[in-house]
Amino acid sequence: MTGALPRVVLTRPVPPGAFSRLCEKTAPEVWMEPTTIPPAELRRRAADAVGLLVVSGERVDEELLAAAPELRVVSTMSVGYDHVDVSALTARGLPLGNTPGVLTEATADLAFALLLAVARRLVEARDAVLTGRWGGWDPEFLLGRELAGSTLGIVGLGRIGAAVARRALAFGMEVLASTTRTPELEGIEVVELPSLLERSEFVSLHVALTPATHHLIGARELATMRRDAILINTARGGVVDQVALAAALRDGTIAAAGLDVAEVEPVPPDDELLRLDNCLVLPHVGSATRATREKMAELAVENLIAGVNGEPLVHCVNAAALGAPRPA
Ligand code: DGY
């Protein structure tokens, strides 16, 4: 139909500013249910769409792409893209947009909030107040761990890892990092992963999930950590072998963990990690501030509009795919 706006599919509503912008350029169809869109329903909706906007954890695979032959672009409202089969997109000449940079500070804040919450036993403290176990000031009550002077090991010193490092240095911590993409951050000692795990009282994970980082922290690695170590994961659940972690927390191999991500999200209610007092699990809220989510949505929408129009994306994961011939 002449003049009709191109049809795009969103698997979640986005904030109003980004949505208005999208409506100027496209005709969006949005999944409005609070639950994740079922894959079959997404395939049905994507069948004649030219653009697709997804969020973290929603699988974009060959089956979906095959069901959506009109697609020109996939945009994910996330920096991570382990839920997307990038090679399948690239093979079809489809660009994938993501949202790096805008969520760095919010995610680093959350990593640090988790670290403090676990170190100072905030959930236990709140439970004590609510259940009448607050018996007055007691020198031995709910003793936690001190950050100043202790060592934080950062696994993956990219944007978010570096932002966590800056916070840790401001708290007077010694900072180790196992890998570095960020050149020269003063005050950080770069070491190999085994040394970092052996030396750190706190370990915070900031690597993307790839085949190389899948279960990077498993039973063997946990066994080399200090018995008083606290593990923080705001990266991806799959970076940690969760069964091994539950065992390590149960038998005291390490002291505690704070997780914002899990191998299966939402975490099944019968998962052992949810029953362990020394494990605090959050529902993947690293980037969940209003300001950050607005910026992520704006970027995801700009990527989507650019891709629909055949223009370069603001942030393209597989730039090599741009200009590649579309399959016949
Ligand atoms: C990301 O952007 O990858 C986050 O995990 C989503 O908040």
Side-chain angles (χ1 to χ4, degrees):
M1 199 175 23
T2 317
L5 291 171
R7 189 168 169 278
V8 298
V9 167
L10 277 65
T11 58
R12 293 280 178 187
V14 292
F19 192 63
S20 302
R21 165 91 178 125
L22 192 62
C23 291
E24 287 167 13
K25 303 286 179 185
T26 69
E29 183 184 6
V30 188
W31 174 255
M32 297 300 289
E33 303 299 322
T35 48
T36 301
I37 186 168
E41 176 62 16
L42 180 54
R43 285 197 294 277
R44 192 188 68 72
R45 291 183 179 213
D48 59 352
V50 295
L52 179 60
L53 194 153
V54 298
V55 301
S56 195
E58 291 170 347
R59 193 89 198 113
V60 177
D61 54 15
E62 184 54 46
E63 197 180 354
L64 173 58
L65 298 178
E70 306 297 322
L71 269 190
R72 298 179 203 154
V73 59
V74 175
S75 172
T76 182
M77 189 176 144
S78 61
V79 62
Y81 48 86
D82 47 286
H83 51 296
V84 179
D85 183 342
V86 182
S87 343
L89 261 77
T90 304
R92 289 169 179 268
L94 294 176
L96 171 65
N98 71 336
T99 63
V102 294
L103 47 78
T104 301
E105 302 301 332
T107 308
D109 282 350
L110 196 277
F112 224 78
L114 252 183
L115 192 152
L116 278 164
V118 177
R120 297 302 299 269
R121 304 169 62 184
L122 295 194
V123 174
E124 286 167 81
R126 183 173 185 275
D127 286 351
V129 174
L130 295 180
T131 58
R133 282 180 287 120
W134 180 11
W137 198 91
D138 174 346
E140 291 297 319
F141 187 47
L142 280 172
L143 303 186
R145 301 274 296 283
E146 200 121 341
L147 268 56
S150 63
T151 301
L152 169 66
I154 296 184
V155 180
L157 196 68
R159 290 187 198 86
I160 297 171
V164 170
R166 283 195 296 277
R167 285 157 177 74
L169 291 170
F171 271 74
M173 301 179 90
E174 306 291 327
V175 181
L176 309 177
S178 69
T179 56
T180 179
R181 287 195 289 123
T182 310
E184 299 295 305
L185 204 55
E186 209 177 317
I188 297 181
E189 187 184 346
V190 176
V191 296
E192 297 295 325
L193 181 61
S195 165
L196 179 147
L197 294 175
E198 276 169 28
R199 289 171 57 188
S200 301
E201 282 125 311
F202 299 89
V203 173
S204 192
L205 305 177
H206 299 286
V207 287
L209 178 60
T210 66
T213 61
H214 181 253
H215 287 187
L216 183 68
I217 306 297
R220 204 179 39 190
E221 290 72 25
L222 289 160
T224 67
M225 289 171 69
R226 298 169 51 123
R227 288 186 83 81
D228 63 357
I230 291 176
L231 178 69
I232 303 297
N233 188 7
T234 54
R236 283 293 181 269
V239 175
V240 177
D241 177 345
Q242 255 176 230
V243 173
L245 175 62
L249 291 168
R250 202 187 324 114
D251 68 19
T253 301
I254 67 168
L259 312 174
D260 184 43
V261 288
E263 291 201 80
V264 177
E265 296 180 4
V267 177
D270 61 350
D271 192 306
E272 184 184 1
L273 288 174
L274 301 183
R275 293 195 304 275
L276 293 169
D277 285 340
N278 54 351
C279 186
L280 172 54
V281 182
L282 301 182
H284 201 149
V285 286
S287 63
T289 69
R290 187 158 306 284
T292 289
R293 287 289 165 83
E294 281 171 2
K295 285 184 249 169
M296 289 169 74
E298 279 160 22
L299 195 42
V301 159
E302 289 312 324
N303 281 335
L304 190 69
I305 292 171
V308 164
N309 293 329
E311 291 161 5
L313 311 196
V314 188
H315 283 289
C316 185
V317 168
N318 57 343
L322 287 174
R326 307 285 300 274

